[in-house]
Amino acid sequence: MFQDITLDKLFTLENKQELALIDVRSPSEYKDATIPGSYNIPLFSDEERAEVGTLYKQVSKEAAKERGLEIVSAKLPQFIKQFGQINTEHKAVFCWRGGMRSRTTATVLDLMGIHAYRLQGGIRAYREWVVKTLEEIDFKPEAFVLNGYTGTGKTIILQRLEQEGHPILDLEGMANHRGSVFGQIGLEPHNQKTFDALLVEKVLHLQASPYVLLEAESKRIGKSVLPEFLLKKKEQGTQIFIDMPLEERVQNILEEYRPWEHHNQCLEAFRIIKKRIHTPIATQIDNDLQAGHYESAVSLMLDYYYDRRYEHAAEQYPDDRSVTIQVKNIDEAVQVIRDKVQTNANMSE
């Protein structure tokens, strides 16, 4: 017989032994939110789930169970095969509330000789834990916050530093959004539930670090809102302002956004901010975008819109917690920031 497992025991087991988490909800539920790293082996497809749900509401609980049994029976061999392809010592299945779908799955697996735990409370209990943790956590590391004009490659700098072993929070990566009107071009932004799940996993992992590097973000990144503890941590941190030549920033933006591959999305995004730019300049930018003259369009947007917004925001930080670095490119920025963080860490020892 399968065993139930609580979230606390699940995390303890995951730290000690190899464990696969399997979400047996429908594909659309899995896409909306899941436990990071989970597999999706759905008991019902979206259409099948809707059919069973309709029977439950409009006919009877017994009719829904009968139809569900018919659906599961027909796909059982392939369902079991998918579990067998996950080569881990331990498995834990979950659904929305730890109810019928995960119970059915765990029971069938047990009959086939495949041991699996069932997560008590399902994804709902996990979501409640995530929200509570983000509300109550006392995040310890000292923050180094990367500021800079648009196009200085702050996210790339963070990723490069993480590859070197430095503790970082890539908030835009968790939100799957670059944090501006153009931020979702070529991306599908994560919802709040997915962002929170990725964030709580990362902050708990970094809790014992002496410092953390992150980018200066507004309260909202795409569809995601930052928790209060992180906004306070950002405000109280050491602010590193990156000064990089305009021409280099334009090239960074072109390399990252590749506007020629997302022409219509770029036009739509620009029209959201067009009214905030002096009319002759806005018209020139629009014409450049239409004609595919992206380098000129980006340069004008930086000069007449984004740089001016940044200068206004930068005035809020006191000088005693701010340092400006003048660099030629991303490579130099990585080197200078690495040295500054290391110097600070040595002084703290």
Side-chain angles (χ1 to χ4, degrees):
M1 182 63 180
F2 71 85
Q3 296 175 285
D4 279 347
I5 189 169
T6 63
L7 274 173
D8 288 341
K9 289 184 178 179
L10 178 72
F11 293 146
T12 301
L13 180 66
E14 189 174 8
N15 288 333
K16 290 183 177 179
Q17 304 177 46
E18 190 177 9
L19 173 73
L21 292 166
I22 297 121
D23 188 336
V24 298
R25 298 176 303 150
S26 68
S28 63
E29 292 175 286
Y30 175 79
K31 183 179 180 181
D32 179 64
T34 192
I35 301 175
S38 300
Y39 297 89
N40 183 214
I41 304 180
L43 191 65
F44 298 127
S45 67
D46 291 326
E47 295 75 17
E48 291 163 348
R49 174 173 173 258
E51 179 186 356
V52 172
T54 300
L55 285 172
Y56 186 92
K57 292 178 181 178
Q58 298 183 1
V59 182
S60 68
K61 182 178 180 180
E62 289 70 26
K65 284 185 175 181
E66 183 176 338
R67 179 56 183 145
L69 182 59
E70 291 176 358
I71 293 171
V72 172
S73 298
K75 63 170 65 176
L76 202 54
Q78 180 60 28
F79 188 65
I80 298 299
K81 182 179 180 181
Q82 287 179 280
F83 277 89
Q85 291 172 342
I86 300 176
N87 187 26
T88 58
E89 183 178 355
H90 295 279
K91 299 175 177 66
V93 299
F94 61 92
C95 58
W96 168 233
R97 292 180 297 182
M100 183 66 71
R101 286 180 287 180
S102 57
R103 182 186 303 116
T104 299
T105 299
T107 300
V108 169
L109 291 174
D110 184 67
L111 291 171
M112 298 303 296
I114 301 174
H115 178 263
Y117 298 99
R118 182 184 67 155
L119 177 60
Q120 286 184 9
I123 193 72
R124 185 172 70 172
Y126 173 75
R127 174 63 181 163
E128 290 172 355
W129 171 80
V130 167
V131 172
K132 182 179 180 181
T133 301
L134 292 178
E135 287 177 348
E136 298 178 355
I137 191 170
D138 179 17
F139 192 45
K140 301 294 186 182
E142 178 186 359
F144 289 89
V145 188
L146 304 192
N147 299 260
Y149 290 111
T150 301
T152 49
K154 295 180 288 293
T155 297
I156 297 174
I157 292 168
L158 286 177
Q159 292 169 349
R160 293 264 296 274
L161 289 168
E162 183 173 41
Q163 290 171 3
E164 296 180 4
H166 294 277
I168 73 122
L169 282 175
D170 181 4
L171 299 173
E172 292 187 1
M174 296 176 202
N176 210 33
H177 192 284
R178 301 185 189 91
S180 71
V181 172
F182 293 82
Q184 68 181 40
I185 290 177
L187 302 172
E188 185 175 350
H190 291 158
N191 60 24
Q192 188 71 48
K193 288 179 284 188
T194 297
F195 175 81
D196 288 346
L198 294 170
L199 178 61
V200 75
E201 184 180 73
K202 191 69 173 180
V203 296
L204 290 176
H205 176 71
L206 296 177
Q207 182 70 310
S209 300
Y211 65 90
V212 64
L213 287 144
L214 67 155
E215 184 174 344
E217 303 284 358
S218 59
K219 186 173 184 177
R220 177 179 291 275
I221 309 173
K223 296 180 179 180
S224 306
V225 177
L226 301 186
E228 284 301 317
F229 85 88
L230 204 53
L231 292 172
K232 290 179 181 178
K233 179 64 65 172
K234 183 195 74 169
E235 295 297 321
Q236 295 167 357
T238 299
Q239 310 296 321
I240 300 176
F241 291 88
I242 305 168
D243 189 351
M244 190 179 294
L246 176 64
E247 296 78 10
E248 186 70 17
R249 293 191 285 126
V250 170
Q251 293 307 311
N252 290 340
I253 290 172
L254 293 176
E255 290 177 14
E256 180 177 2
Y257 286 79
R258 304 181 69 82
W260 49 89
E261 296 178 0
H262 310 283
H263 181 78
N264 290 333
Q265 285 182 279
C266 288
L267 288 173
E268 292 170 7
F270 172 67
R271 282 161 189 165
I272 296 174
I273 63 171
K274 183 177 180 179
K275 61 184 178 181
R276 304 174 194 170
I277 303 173
H278 188 48
T279 301
I281 301 299
T283 300
Q284 182 61 54
I285 295 171
D286 203 344
N287 291 339
D288 284 342
L289 289 173
Q290 292 277 7
H293 299 155
Y294 300 114
E295 185 170 343
S296 173
V298 170
S299 180
L300 288 171
M301 274 190 279
L302 292 180
D303 198 11
Y304 288 91
Y305 181 69
Y306 282 105
D307 286 5
R308 299 183 184 193
R309 285 169 58 88
Y310 166 75
E311 287 165 1
H312 175 73
E315 295 174 355
Q316 65 180 301
Y317 296 107
D319 292 338
D320 62 341
R321 286 193 292 108
S322 302
V323 58
T324 298
I325 62 171
Q326 294 183 326
V327 295
K328 297 177 181 177
N329 50 44
I330 288 176
D331 289 341
E332 188 176 347
V334 170
Q335 179 181 344
V336 173
I337 293 170
R338 180 202 304 124
D339 293 344
K340 286 190 175 295
V341 170
Q342 190 59 55
T343 298
N344 183 276
N346 292 337
M347 292 175 62
S348 302
E349 292 179 353

Coordinates of all heavy atoms in Angstrom, one line a residue, residues 219-287:
K219 N 8.6 47.0 -8.4 CA 7.8 46.0 -7.6 C 7.3 45.0 -8.5 O 7.1 43.8 -8.1 CB 6.7 46.8 -6.9 CG 6.0 45.9 -5.9 CD 5.0 46.6 -5.1 CE 4.3 45.7 -4.1 NZ 3.4 46.5 -3.1
R220 N 6.9 45.3 -9.7 CA 6.4 44.3 -10.7 C 7.3 44.0 -11.8 O 7.9 44.9 -12.4 CB 5.0 44.9 -11.2 CG 4.4 43.9 -12.2 CD 3.0 44.5 -12.7 NE 2.1 44.5 -11.7 CZ 1.3 43.4 -11.4 NH1 1.4 42.3 -12.1 NH2 0.4 43.5 -10.4
I221 N 7.4 42.7 -12.1 CA 8.2 42.3 -13.3 C 7.2 41.5 -14.2 O 6.9 40.3 -13.8 CB 9.4 41.4 -12.9 CG1 10.3 42.1 -11.9 CG2 10.3 41.1 -14.2 CD1 11.4 41.2 -11.4
G222 N 6.8 42.0 -15.2 CA 5.8 41.3 -16.1 C 4.5 41.0 -15.3 O 3.8 42.0 -14.8
K223 N 4.2 39.8 -15.1 CA 3.0 39.4 -14.3 C 3.2 39.2 -12.9 O 2.3 38.8 -12.1 CB 2.4 38.1 -14.9 CG 1.9 38.2 -16.4 CD 1.3 36.9 -16.8 CE 0.8 37.0 -18.3 NZ 0.3 35.7 -18.8
S224 N 4.5 39.3 -12.4 CA 4.9 38.9 -11.1 C 5.2 40.1 -10.2 O 5.8 41.1 -10.7 CB 6.1 38.0 -11.1 OG 5.9 36.9 -12.0
V225 N 4.8 40.0 -9.0 CA 5.0 41.1 -8.0 C 6.0 40.6 -6.9 O 5.9 39.5 -6.4 CB 3.7 41.5 -7.3 CG1 4.0 42.6 -6.2 CG2 2.7 42.0 -8.3
L226 N 7.0 41.4 -6.6 CA 8.0 41.0 -5.7 C 7.5 41.1 -4.3 O 6.7 42.0 -3.9 CB 9.3 42.0 -5.8 CG 10.0 42.1 -7.1 CD1 11.2 42.9 -7.0 CD2 10.3 40.7 -7.7
P227 N 7.9 40.2 -3.4 CA 7.4 40.2 -2.0 C 8.1 41.3 -1.3 O 9.2 41.8 -1.7 CB 7.9 38.8 -1.4 CG 9.0 38.4 -2.3 CD 8.7 39.0 -3.7
E228 N 7.5 41.8 -0.1 CA 8.0 42.9 0.6 C 9.4 42.7 1.1 O 10.2 43.6 1.1 CB 7.0 43.2 1.8 CG 5.7 43.9 1.4 CD 6.0 45.2 0.6 OE1 6.8 46.0 1.1 OE2 5.3 45.4 -0.4
F229 N 9.7 41.5 1.6 CA 11.1 41.3 2.2 C 12.2 41.6 1.1 O 13.2 42.1 1.4 CB 11.2 39.9 2.7 CG 11.6 38.8 1.7 CD1 12.9 38.6 1.5 CD2 10.6 38.1 1.1 CE1 13.3 37.6 0.5 CE2 11.0 37.1 0.2 CZ 12.3 36.9 -0.1
L230 N 11.9 41.3 -0.1 CA 12.9 41.5 -1.2 C 13.0 42.9 -1.6 O 14.1 43.4 -1.9 CB 12.5 40.6 -2.4 CG 13.6 40.2 -3.3 CD1 14.8 39.6 -2.6 CD2 13.1 39.3 -4.4
L231 N 11.9 43.6 -1.6 CA 11.9 45.1 -1.9 C 12.7 45.8 -0.8 O 13.5 46.7 -1.1 CB 10.5 45.6 -1.9 CG 9.6 45.2 -3.1 CD1 8.2 45.6 -2.9 CD2 10.2 45.7 -4.4
K232 N 12.5 45.4 0.5 CA 13.3 46.0 1.6 C 14.8 45.7 1.4 O 15.7 46.5 1.7 CB 12.7 45.6 2.9 CG 11.4 46.1 3.2 CD 10.9 45.6 4.6 CE 9.5 46.1 4.9 NZ 9.0 45.6 6.2
K233 N 15.1 44.4 1.1 CA 16.5 44.0 1.0 C 17.1 44.8 -0.1 O 18.3 45.2 0.0 CB 16.5 42.5 0.7 CG 17.9 41.9 0.4 CD 18.7 42.0 1.7 CE 18.2 41.1 2.8 NZ 19.2 41.1 4.0
K234 N 16.4 45.0 -1.2 CA 17.0 45.8 -2.3 C 17.2 47.2 -1.9 O 18.3 47.8 -2.2 CB 16.0 45.8 -3.5 CG 16.5 46.5 -4.8 CD 15.3 46.7 -5.7 CE 14.4 47.8 -5.3 NZ 13.5 48.3 -6.3
E235 N 16.3 47.8 -1.2 CA 16.4 49.2 -0.8 C 17.6 49.4 0.2 O 18.3 50.4 0.1 CB 15.1 49.7 -0.1 CG 13.9 49.8 -1.1 CD 14.1 50.7 -2.2 OE1 14.7 51.8 -2.0 OE2 13.7 50.4 -3.3
Q236 N 17.8 48.4 1.0 CA 18.9 48.5 2.0 C 20.3 48.1 1.5 O 21.3 48.3 2.2 CB 18.5 47.7 3.2 CG 17.2 48.1 3.9 CD 16.7 47.1 4.9 OE1 17.2 46.0 5.1 NE2 15.6 47.5 5.6
G237 N 20.3 47.6 0.3 CA 21.6 47.0 -0.2 C 22.5 48.1 -0.7 O 22.2 49.2 -0.9
T238 N 23.7 47.6 -1.0 CA 24.7 48.4 -1.7 C 24.4 48.5 -3.2 O 24.2 47.5 -3.9 CB 26.1 47.8 -1.6 OG1 26.5 47.8 -0.2 CG2 27.2 48.7 -2.3
Q239 N 24.2 49.8 -3.6 CA 23.8 50.0 -5.0 C 25.0 50.2 -5.9 O 25.8 51.1 -5.7 CB 22.9 51.2 -5.1 CG 21.8 51.3 -4.1 CD 20.8 50.2 -4.3 OE1 20.4 49.8 -5.4 NE2 20.3 49.6 -3.2
I240 N 25.2 49.3 -6.9 CA 26.2 49.4 -7.9 C 25.7 50.0 -9.2 O 24.8 49.3 -9.8 CB 26.9 48.1 -8.1 CG1 27.5 47.5 -6.8 CG2 28.0 48.2 -9.2 CD1 28.1 46.2 -6.9
F241 N 26.1 51.2 -9.6 CA 25.6 51.8 -10.8 C 26.6 51.6 -11.9 O 27.7 51.9 -11.8 CB 25.3 53.3 -10.6 CG 24.2 53.6 -9.7 CD1 24.4 53.7 -8.3 CD2 22.9 53.7 -10.1 CE1 23.3 53.9 -7.4 CE2 21.8 54.0 -9.3 CZ 22.0 54.1 -7.9
I242 N 26.1 51.0 -13.0 CA 26.9 50.6 -14.1 C 26.8 51.7 -15.2 O 25.7 51.9 -15.7 CB 26.6 49.3 -14.7 CG1 26.6 48.2 -13.6 CG2 27.5 48.9 -15.8 CD1 26.0 46.9 -14.0
D243 N 27.9 52.3 -15.5 CA 28.0 53.4 -16.6 C 28.7 52.8 -17.8 O 29.9 52.4 -17.7 CB 28.7 54.6 -16.1 CG 28.6 55.8 -17.0 OD1 28.1 55.6 -18.1 OD2 29.0 56.9 -16.6
M244 N 27.9 52.6 -18.9 CA 28.5 52.0 -20.1 C 28.1 52.8 -21.3 O 27.0 53.4 -21.4 CB 27.9 50.6 -20.2 CG 28.5 49.7 -21.3 SD 27.7 48.0 -21.3 CE 28.2 47.4 -19.7
P245 N 29.0 52.9 -22.3 CA 28.7 53.8 -23.5 C 27.4 53.4 -24.2 O 27.0 52.2 -24.2 CB 29.9 53.5 -24.4 CG 31.0 53.1 -23.5 CD 30.3 52.3 -22.4
L246 N 26.7 54.4 -24.7 CA 25.5 54.2 -25.4 C 25.6 53.2 -26.5 O 24.7 52.4 -26.7 CB 25.0 55.6 -25.9 CG 23.7 55.5 -26.8 CD1 22.5 55.1 -25.9 CD2 23.4 56.9 -27.4
E247 N 26.6 53.3 -27.3 CA 26.8 52.5 -28.5 C 26.9 51.0 -28.1 O 26.3 50.1 -28.7 CB 28.1 52.8 -29.3 CG 28.0 54.2 -29.9 CD 28.3 55.3 -28.9 OE1 28.7 55.0 -27.7 OE2 28.1 56.5 -29.2
E248 N 27.6 50.7 -27.0 CA 27.7 49.4 -26.5 C 26.3 48.9 -26.0 O 25.9 47.7 -26.2 CB 28.7 49.3 -25.3 CG 29.0 47.9 -24.8 CD 29.8 47.1 -25.8 OE1 30.3 47.6 -26.8 OE2 29.8 45.8 -25.7
R249 N 25.6 49.7 -25.3 CA 24.3 49.3 -24.8 C 23.3 49.0 -25.9 O 22.5 48.1 -25.8 CB 23.7 50.5 -23.9 CG 24.5 50.6 -22.6 CD 23.8 51.5 -21.6 NE 23.9 52.9 -22.0 CZ 22.8 53.8 -22.1 NH1 21.6 53.3 -22.0 NH2 23.0 55.0 -22.5
V250 N 23.4 49.8 -27.0 CA 22.5 49.5 -28.2 C 22.8 48.1 -28.7 O 21.9 47.4 -29.0 CB 22.7 50.6 -29.3 CG1 22.0 50.2 -30.6 CG2 22.2 52.0 -28.8
Q251 N 24.1 47.8 -28.8 CA 24.4 46.5 -29.4 C 24.0 45.4 -28.4 O 23.5 44.3 -28.9 CB 25.9 46.4 -29.6 CG 26.4 47.3 -30.7 CD 25.7 47.1 -32.0 OE1 25.5 46.0 -32.5 NE2 25.2 48.2 -32.6
N252 N 24.1 45.6 -27.1 CA 23.6 44.6 -26.2 C 22.1 44.3 -26.3 O 21.7 43.2 -26.3 CB 23.9 45.1 -24.7 CG 25.4 45.1 -24.4 OD1 26.2 44.4 -25.0 ND2 25.7 45.8 -23.4
I253 N 21.4 45.4 -26.5 CA 19.9 45.2 -26.7 C 19.6 44.5 -28.0 O 18.7 43.6 -28.0 CB 19.2 46.6 -26.7 CG1 19.3 47.2 -25.2 CG2 17.8 46.6 -27.1 CD1 18.9 48.7 -25.1
L254 N 20.2 44.8 -29.0 CA 20.0 44.2 -30.3 C 20.3 42.7 -30.2 O 19.6 41.8 -30.7 CB 20.8 44.8 -31.4 CG 20.4 46.3 -31.8 CD1 21.4 46.8 -32.8 CD2 19.0 46.3 -32.3
E255 N 21.4 42.3 -29.5 CA 21.8 40.9 -29.4 C 20.8 40.2 -28.5 O 20.5 39.0 -28.8 CB 23.2 40.8 -28.8 CG 24.3 41.3 -29.7 CD 25.6 41.2 -29.1 OE1 25.8 40.6 -28.0 OE2 26.6 41.8 -29.6
E256 N 20.2 40.8 -27.5 CA 19.3 40.1 -26.6 C 17.9 40.0 -27.2 O 17.3 39.0 -27.1 CB 19.3 40.8 -25.2 CG 18.4 40.1 -24.3 CD 18.4 40.8 -22.9 OE1 19.1 41.8 -22.7 OE2 17.7 40.2 -22.0
Y257 N 17.4 41.1 -27.7 CA 16.0 41.1 -28.1 C 15.8 40.6 -29.5 O 14.7 40.2 -29.9 CB 15.5 42.6 -28.0 CG 15.2 43.0 -26.6 CD1 16.2 43.4 -25.7 CD2 13.9 43.0 -26.1 CE1 15.9 43.8 -24.4 CE2 13.6 43.4 -24.8 CZ 14.6 43.8 -24.0 OH 14.4 44.2 -22.7
R258 N 16.8 40.8 -30.4 CA 16.7 40.3 -31.8 C 15.4 40.8 -32.4 O 14.6 40.0 -32.8 CB 16.9 38.8 -31.9 CG 18.1 38.3 -31.3 CD 18.3 36.8 -31.4 NE 18.5 36.4 -32.8 CZ 19.7 36.4 -33.4 NH1 20.8 36.9 -32.7 NH2 19.8 36.1 -34.6
P259 N 15.2 42.2 -32.5 CA 14.0 42.7 -33.0 C 13.5 42.3 -34.4 O 12.3 42.3 -34.7 CB 14.2 44.2 -32.9 CG 15.7 44.4 -32.9 CD 16.2 43.2 -32.2
W260 N 14.5 42.0 -35.2 CA 14.2 41.5 -36.6 C 13.4 40.2 -36.5 O 12.7 39.9 -37.5 CB 15.4 41.4 -37.4 CG 16.5 40.6 -36.7 CD1 16.7 39.3 -36.8 CD2 17.5 41.1 -35.9 NE1 17.8 38.9 -36.0 CE2 18.3 40.0 -35.5 CE3 17.9 42.4 -35.5 CZ2 19.4 40.2 -34.6 CZ3 19.0 42.6 -34.6 CH2 19.7 41.5 -34.2
E261 N 13.5 39.5 -35.4 CA 12.7 38.2 -35.3 C 11.4 38.4 -34.7 O 10.5 37.5 -34.7 CB 13.5 37.2 -34.5 CG 14.8 36.7 -35.1 CD 15.6 35.8 -34.3 OE1 15.1 35.4 -33.2 OE2 16.7 35.3 -34.7
H262 N 11.1 39.6 -34.1 CA 9.9 39.9 -33.4 C 9.4 41.3 -33.8 O 9.0 42.1 -33.0 CB 10.1 39.9 -31.9 CG 10.8 38.6 -31.5 ND1 10.2 37.4 -31.3 CD2 12.1 38.4 -31.1 CE1 11.0 36.5 -30.9 NE2 12.2 37.1 -30.8
H263 N 9.3 41.5 -35.1 CA 9.1 42.9 -35.7 C 7.7 43.4 -35.2 O 7.7 44.6 -34.6 CB 9.1 42.8 -37.2 CG 8.8 44.1 -37.9 ND1 9.8 45.1 -38.0 CD2 7.7 44.7 -38.4 CE1 9.3 46.2 -38.6 NE2 8.1 45.9 -38.9
N264 N 6.7 42.7 -35.3 CA 5.3 43.2 -34.9 C 5.2 43.4 -33.4 O 4.6 44.4 -33.0 CB 4.2 42.2 -35.4 CG 4.1 42.2 -36.9 OD1 4.4 43.2 -37.6 ND2 3.6 41.1 -37.5
Q265 N 5.8 42.5 -32.6 CA 5.8 42.7 -31.2 C 6.5 44.0 -30.8 O 6.1 44.7 -29.9 CB 6.4 41.5 -30.5 CG 5.5 40.3 -30.5 CD 6.2 39.1 -29.7 OE1 7.1 38.4 -30.3 NE2 5.8 39.0 -28.5
C266 N 7.6 44.3 -31.4 CA 8.3 45.5 -31.1 C 7.5 46.8 -31.5 O 7.5 47.7 -30.7 CB 9.6 45.6 -31.9 SG 10.9 44.4 -31.3
L267 N 6.8 46.7 -32.6 CA 5.9 47.8 -33.0 C 4.8 48.0 -31.9 O 4.5 49.2 -31.5 CB 5.3 47.6 -34.4 CG 6.3 47.7 -35.5 CD1 5.6 47.3 -36.8 CD2 6.8 49.2 -35.7
E268 N 4.2 46.9 -31.5 CA 3.1 47.0 -30.5 C 3.6 47.6 -29.2 O 3.0 48.4 -28.6 CB 2.5 45.6 -30.3 CG 1.7 45.1 -31.6 CD 1.3 43.7 -31.4 OE1 1.5 43.1 -30.3 OE2 0.8 43.1 -32.4
A269 N 4.8 47.1 -28.8 CA 5.3 47.6 -27.5 C 5.7 49.1 -27.6 O 5.4 49.8 -26.6 CB 6.6 46.8 -27.1
F270 N 6.3 49.5 -28.7 CA 6.7 50.9 -28.8 C 5.4 51.8 -28.7 O 5.5 52.9 -28.1 CB 7.4 51.2 -30.1 CG 7.7 52.6 -30.3 CD1 8.5 53.4 -29.5 CD2 7.0 53.3 -31.4 CE1 8.7 54.7 -29.7 CE2 7.2 54.7 -31.5 CZ 8.1 55.4 -30.7
R271 N 4.3 51.4 -29.3 CA 3.1 52.2 -29.3 C 2.5 52.5 -28.0 O 1.8 53.4 -27.7 CB 2.1 51.7 -30.3 CG 2.5 52.0 -31.7 CD 1.9 51.2 -32.8 NE 2.6 51.4 -34.1 CZ 2.5 50.7 -35.2 NH1 1.8 49.6 -35.1 NH2 3.1 51.0 -36.3
I272 N 2.9 51.6 -27.0 CA 2.5 51.8 -25.6 C 3.2 53.1 -25.0 O 2.6 53.8 -24.2 CB 2.7 50.6 -24.8 CG1 1.9 49.4 -25.3 CG2 2.4 50.8 -23.3 CD1 2.2 48.1 -24.6
I273 N 4.4 53.3 -25.3 CA 5.2 54.4 -24.8 C 5.3 55.6 -25.7 O 5.8 56.6 -25.3 CB 6.6 53.9 -24.3 CG1 7.4 53.5 -25.6 CG2 6.5 52.8 -23.3 CD1 8.9 53.2 -25.3
K274 N 4.8 55.4 -26.9 CA 5.0 56.5 -28.0 C 4.6 57.8 -27.5 O 5.2 58.9 -27.7 CB 4.3 56.1 -29.2 CG 4.5 57.0 -30.4 CD 3.9 56.5 -31.7 CE 4.1 57.5 -32.8 NZ 3.4 56.9 -34.1
K275 N 3.4 57.9 -26.8 CA 2.8 59.2 -26.4 C 3.7 59.9 -25.4 O 3.5 61.1 -25.1 CB 1.4 59.0 -25.9 CG 1.3 58.1 -24.7 CD -0.1 57.8 -24.3 CE -0.3 56.9 -23.1 NZ -1.7 56.7 -22.8
R276 N 4.6 59.2 -24.7 CA 5.4 59.8 -23.7 C 6.7 60.4 -24.2 O 7.5 60.9 -23.5 CB 5.8 58.7 -22.6 CG 4.6 58.0 -22.0 CD 5.0 56.9 -21.1 NE 3.9 56.1 -20.7 CZ 4.0 54.9 -20.1 NH1 5.2 54.5 -19.8 NH2 2.9 54.1 -19.8
I277 N 6.9 60.3 -25.5 CA 8.1 60.8 -26.2 C 7.8 62.0 -27.1 O 6.7 62.0 -27.7 CB 8.8 59.7 -27.0 CG1 9.1 58.5 -26.1 CG2 10.1 60.2 -27.7 CD1 9.6 57.3 -26.9
H278 N 8.6 63.0 -27.1 CA 8.4 64.2 -27.9 C 8.0 63.8 -29.3 O 8.7 62.9 -29.9 CB 9.7 65.0 -27.9 CG 9.5 66.4 -28.6 ND1 8.5 67.2 -28.3 CD2 10.3 67.0 -29.5 CE1 8.6 68.3 -29.0 NE2 9.7 68.2 -29.8
T279 N 7.0 64.3 -29.9 CA 6.4 63.8 -31.1 C 7.3 63.7 -32.3 O 7.3 62.6 -32.9 CB 5.2 64.8 -31.5 OG1 4.2 64.8 -30.5 CG2 4.5 64.3 -32.8
P280 N 8.2 64.6 -32.6 CA 9.1 64.4 -33.8 C 10.0 63.2 -33.6 O 10.2 62.4 -34.5 CB 9.9 65.7 -33.9 CG 9.0 66.7 -33.2 CD 8.3 66.0 -32.1
I281 N 10.5 63.0 -32.3 CA 11.4 61.9 -32.1 C 10.6 60.6 -32.1 O 11.0 59.6 -32.7 CB 12.0 62.0 -30.7 CG1 12.9 63.3 -30.6 CG2 12.9 60.8 -30.4 CD1 14.0 63.4 -31.6
A282 N 9.4 60.6 -31.5 CA 8.5 59.4 -31.5 C 8.2 59.0 -33.0 O 8.2 57.8 -33.3 CB 7.2 59.6 -30.8
T283 N 7.9 59.9 -33.8 CA 7.7 59.6 -35.2 C 8.9 59.0 -35.9 O 8.8 58.0 -36.7 CB 7.3 60.9 -36.0 OG1 6.1 61.5 -35.4 CG2 7.0 60.6 -37.4
Q284 N 10.1 59.5 -35.6 CA 11.3 59.0 -36.2 C 11.5 57.6 -35.7 O 11.9 56.7 -36.5 CB 12.5 59.9 -35.8 CG 13.8 59.4 -36.4 CD 13.8 59.4 -37.9 OE1 13.5 60.5 -38.5 NE2 14.1 58.3 -38.6
I285 N 11.3 57.3 -34.4 CA 11.5 55.9 -33.9 C 10.5 55.0 -34.6 O 10.9 53.9 -35.0 CB 11.3 55.9 -32.4 CG1 12.3 56.7 -31.7 CG2 11.3 54.5 -31.9 CD1 12.1 56.9 -30.2
D286 N 9.3 55.4 -34.7 CA 8.2 54.6 -35.4 C 8.7 54.3 -36.8 O 8.6 53.1 -37.3 CB 6.9 55.3 -35.3 CG 5.7 54.4 -35.5 OD1 5.9 53.2 -35.9 OD2 4.6 54.8 -35.2
N287 N 9.1 55.3 -37.5 CA 9.5 55.1 -38.9 C 10.7 54.1 -39.0 O 10.8 53.3 -39.9 CB 9.9 56.4 -39.6 CG 8.7 57.3 -39.8 OD1 7.5 56.8 -39.8 ND2 8.9 58.6 -39.9

